[in-house]
């Protein structure tokens, strides 16, 4: 195996024996082969006159399954590979052409898959810079695919996204120059913006606009079900199916923003949020006592303490863990097994008490626009610092908590994604009623932060988005953060700090391109970074 797609990769170089995330060498190899076959499907798909939606949706699901901490189940990957071969086979092909191996290779069975995987992984591209750019595109696509899939679940699909996934994946099999690959990277960012806009529309038209909300972080006296990940449709159906059963529902990790949506607030048994970011699930799932539903990444190696009460669904998978089947056409998922189990469980152990405030997506912030603009004009707010992205296990991520605590009292932190758990429970106060931490929602709601920036640019009549008093101090971990980063670059945002380390998959030359064109920088010491940001650097 060789995998360097996430921030916690071994020695910030690459995982080679077993993933730091717990992914086995075999799982990693099967993921490589799946991606390879998605490229073959793409080569065929991009030639078709009409976008093959079925193939497009499969590509999105396949990419999503390979995101860090989404799926650890070899059998599931073998099934996806078989499905990929079938879908590819059914697509028309011009026999006269000299076809790429990803279009023609075929075999059956785990052994054959694992053998082939050895030669089609990341290191098959020898030139370090080309490999770096190809992988940057593929990782961006994984994030984009995840967001496209969330929108598709809510019946918001756009063939343009599928066409682009095919175009981009097919391009990674060709001898493109560095300049062409940089252009493809930017186009991936552009499509990332489009995808997040579609998902924003899907979420808000289906569940209403997130609104300022105080979320209870304590525990109640009834048994509960804990739901994690990013899938709001699962949230909706779980709330429906638990109503009147005497079982409460709690969010964990990236599901916290579900608390901000009007459509979910009407449920009295929606108790609040339990715990923190994904990497604390080992302890927090243990003390929760009730069943846990993982709707997307991040699942981490499952402990015995809760193995018999954790469930996966959608693209998530873990060997030996019960999986809730997809919803039937025009039907709903069946969560009854989880509900029945919950009734037999003890209530959660209370691990903290109080509330946290969030729900500051673009619509809510725009309702406060007058207040915000006045505060900027009067100097009450000197600067906004966007600290969106992911959280992770490393101690170095204390940096983000320390930055939040060190920033002067006249600054406002804009956040989205699970990065927020480093500072969303600190007492940072407010500025004239505007909380100093404005949480827009999940990582995809970073789109909201971009919309807010563009609106402020308009209000202040600025030509350049970089003239706003906004700094970017982004934390990344997995590939959804890669598409968020590429989206920001496409929107012209310069001077982003990226941490806690720069991606291992960026070669020195690719880093230089990003530095020269976008002034991207690694994080440094807290005091120095805060001082620099306050000077707009
Ligand atoms: Fe290593 Fe991250 Fe890949 Fe897991 S996802 S194998 S930790 S680089
Ligand atoms: Fe977190 Fe996994 Fe990225 Fe959606 S849940 S932000 S890491």
């Amino acid at each position: 195996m060789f995998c360097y797609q996430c921030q916690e990769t071994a020695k910030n170089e690459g995982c080679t024996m077993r993933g730091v995330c717990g992914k086995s060498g075999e799982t990693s190899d099967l993921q490589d082969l799946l991606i390879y076959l998605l490229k073959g499907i793409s080569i065929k798909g991009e030639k078709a006159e009409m976008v093959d939606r079925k193939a497009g949706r499969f590509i999105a699901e396949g990419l999503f399954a390979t995101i860090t901490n989404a799926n650890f189940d070899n059998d599931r990957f073998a099934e996806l590979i078989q499905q990929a071969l079938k879908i590819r086979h059914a697509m028309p092909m011009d026999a006269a052409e000299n076809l790429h191996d990803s279009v023609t290779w075929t075999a059956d069975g785990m052994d054959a898959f694992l053998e082939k995987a050895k030669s089609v992984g990341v290191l098959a591209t020898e030139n370090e810079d080309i490999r770096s750019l190809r992988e940057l595109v593929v990782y961006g696509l994984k994030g984009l695919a995840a967001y496209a899939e969330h929108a598709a679940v809510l019946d918001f699909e756009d063939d343009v996204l599928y066409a682009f996934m095919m175009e981009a994946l097919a391009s990674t099999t060709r001898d493109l120059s560095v300049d062409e690959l940089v252009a493809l990277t930017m186009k991936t960012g552009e499509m990332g913006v489009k995808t997040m806009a579609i998902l924003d529309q899907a979420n808000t038209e289906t569940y209403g606009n997130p609104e300022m909300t105080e979320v209870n972080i304590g525990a109640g006296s009834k048994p509960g079900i804990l739901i994690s990940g990013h899938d709001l449709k699962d949230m909706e159906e779980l709330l429906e199916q638990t109503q009147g059963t005497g079982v409460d529902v709690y969010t964990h990790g990236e599901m916290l923003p579900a608390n901000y949506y009007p459509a979910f607030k009407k449920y009295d048994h929606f108790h609040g949020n339990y715990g923190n970011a994904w990497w604390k699930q080992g302890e927090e799932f243990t003390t929760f006592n009730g069943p846990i539903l993982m709707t997307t990444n991040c699942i981490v190696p499952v402990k015995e303490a809760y193995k018999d009460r954790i469930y996966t669904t959608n693209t998530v998978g873990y060997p030996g863990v019960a999986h809730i089947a997809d919803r039937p056409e025009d039907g709903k998922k069946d969560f009854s097994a989880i509900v029945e189990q919950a009734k037999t469980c003890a209530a959660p152990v209370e691990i903290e008490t109080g509330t946290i405030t969030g729900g500051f997506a673009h619509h809510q912030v725009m309702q406060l626009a007058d207040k915000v603009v006045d505060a900027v004009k009067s100097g009450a707010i000197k600067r906004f610092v966007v600290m969106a992205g992911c959280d992770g296990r490393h101690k170095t991520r204390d940096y983000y908590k320390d930055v939040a605590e060190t920033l002067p009292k006249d600054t406002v932190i804009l956040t989205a994604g699970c990065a927020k758990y480093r500072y969303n429970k600190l007492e940072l106060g407010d500025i004239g009623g505007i909380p100093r931490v404005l949480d827009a929602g999940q990582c995809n709601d970073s789109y909201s932060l971009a919309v807010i920036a563009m609106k402020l640019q308009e209000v202040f009549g600025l030509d350049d988005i970089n003239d706003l008093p906004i700094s970017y101090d982004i934390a990344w971990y997995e590939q959804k953060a890669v598409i968020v980063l590429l989206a920001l670059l496409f929107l012209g945002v310069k001077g982003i700090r990226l941490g806690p380390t720069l991606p291992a998959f960026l070669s020195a030359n690719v880093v230089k391109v990003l530095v020269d064109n976008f002034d991207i920088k690694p994080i440094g010491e807290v005091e120095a970074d805060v001082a620099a940001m306050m000077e707009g650097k």
Side-chain angles (χ1 to χ4, degrees), residues 441-508:
Q442 298 178 331
C443 48
N444 45 287
D445 295 309
S446 299
Y447 168 75
S448 239
L449 304 180
V451 171
I452 292 167
M454 289 187 286
K455 289 267 187 215
L456 287 176
Q457 182 188 354
E458 202 181 296
V459 174
F460 289 109
L462 300 171
D463 295 333
D464 187 342
I465 199 161
N466 295 296
D467 292 339
L468 283 166
I470 304 184
S471 300
Y472 293 80
D473 201 358
I474 305 282
W476 84 285
Y477 170 58
E478 37 75 52
Q479 298 74 50
K480 290 176 173 180
V482 176
I483 195 61
V484 169
L485 176 71
L486 295 181
L488 289 175
L489 297 185
F490 170 74
L491 291 172
V493 174
K494 298 219 161 80
I496 295 174
R497 281 182 172 73
L498 184 62
T501 51
L502 291 184
F505 57 80
L506 296 181
S507 68

Side-chain angles (χ1 to χ4, degrees), residues 239-274:
L239 284 169
E240 278 169 8
Q241 292 177 33
T242 41
Q243 204 171 13
T245 61
V247 171
D248 285 339
V249 172
Y250 296 73
T251 53
H252 188 266
E254 272 286 70
M255 199 55 91
L256 158 64
N259 287 277
Y260 312 152
Y261 284 91
F264 302 141
K265 287 185 175 179
K266 63 176 189 239
Y267 294 101
D268 291 339
H269 67 296
F270 185 6
H271 194 275
N273 191 68
Y274 187 86

Side-chain angles (χ1 to χ4, degrees), residues 147 230 254 278 297-298 389-391 417-418 443 477-478 480:
Y147 294 154
H230 303 68
E254 272 286 70
W278 62 272
N297 59 313
C298 285
C390 309
D391 197 8
C418 63
C443 48
Y477 170 58
E478 37 75 52
K480 290 176 173 180

